[in-house]
Amino acid sequence: MKHLAYLLLFSVWPTITVAEDGARTGFKEIALGSSILQAVNTGKFSCQNVKSSLSDTICGLWPIVKETIAGAPAKDVILFIVDRRVSIIRVGFSPEDFDQVLDAMTEKYGQPTIKDSDLTTRVGAVYKNREATWSTSDARLVLSKYRGKVTEGALSIYDKDAFERATQRRSEQAEGNANDL
């Protein structure tokens, strides 16, 4: 099932789209706010129901599907679905490809806000992380050289409205969990 999700996302992925003509921001053919059926109907994604504060369903490309981001190999493409609509698109890639992806994103979206920080591994090694952020009318795009570990970078595209709903859900879930102590 995970493989189907991977397959679905890559087939829908020719370009990152920006809301200029009323269209929603997205990655290639998958737009934020689009129906889960759009991803499933491509045959590239497998979807699973989950119980999480970020989503109700997660869809990933089938392992046999190969995709690129800015000409670099993508490690994975994951769709986070809330209320049967795409709310987050996450594309993983090798940190060695960060500058190539950053250049393409800057060409498409303009100068980002850059934040540099240190990432310390469990054994104490320190890596210089870099995060670039863009904003469109409907989305927040975050490009990270390292996504929590030094073996993977990521582009995360967040639907602004869905992000606020997910934050609210997380807060309500934390409150409910706190009452269970």
Side-chain angles (χ1 to χ4, degrees):
M1 186 159 227
K2 179 180 178 183
H3 300 289
L4 175 61
Y6 285 122
L7 179 64
L8 292 176
L9 182 59
F10 282 125
S11 67
V12 243
W13 192 303
T15 58
I16 296 174
T17 56
V18 171
E20 291 178 10
D21 58 355
R24 299 291 312 260
T25 302
F27 187 75
K28 299 203 176 181
E29 295 170 3
I30 298 289
L32 292 174
S34 63
S35 169
I36 186 175
L37 295 176
Q38 181 181 355
V40 170
N41 288 339
T42 67
K44 294 181 178 182
F45 291 94
S46 170
C47 300
Q48 294 182 329
N49 291 332
V50 295
K51 183 177 180 178
S52 127
S53 58
L54 284 179
S55 64
D56 305 318
T57 305
I58 294 177
C59 300
L61 290 172
W62 287 101
I64 61 169
V65 177
K66 303 300 178 203
E67 188 51 74
T68 60
I69 177 169
K75 289 186 172 186
D76 60 27
V77 179
I78 300 171
L79 306 176
F80 295 84
I81 312 294
V82 176
D83 299 329
R84 304 193 52 76
R85 300 270 172 213
V86 176
S87 62
I88 301 170
I89 302 169
R90 183 169 297 149
V91 184
F93 57 87
S94 173
E96 289 80 23
D97 296 322
F98 176 81
D99 289 333
Q100 180 177 333
V101 177
L102 176 62
D103 290 346
M105 295 287 294
T106 300
E107 179 69 26
K108 181 112 181 159
Y109 294 104
Q111 283 300 114
T113 300
I114 299 283
K115 178 183 170 191
D116 293 317
S117 62
D118 290 338
L119 175 68
T120 305
T121 66
R122 293 180 194 173
V123 295
V126 178
Y127 291 82
K128 296 293 182 190
N129 195 13
R130 175 162 273 204
E131 187 175 275
T133 305
W134 294 264
S135 187
T136 68
S137 61
D138 65 334
R140 187 170 149 245
L141 299 93
V142 180
L143 181 69
S144 303
K145 183 171 186 175
Y146 302 116
R147 180 176 69 183
K149 53 186 178 179
V150 297
T151 57
E152 190 168 323
L155 169 63
S156 299
I157 305 171
Y158 301 94
D159 180 301
K160 286 182 178 177
D161 295 332
F163 185 75
E164 290 174 15
R165 288 192 308 272
T167 301
Q168 178 64 30
R169 282 172 67 169
R170 182 178 292 160
S171 176
E172 290 169 0
Q173 188 176 40
E175 183 178 314
N177 291 342
N179 291 332
D180 192 35
L181 296 177

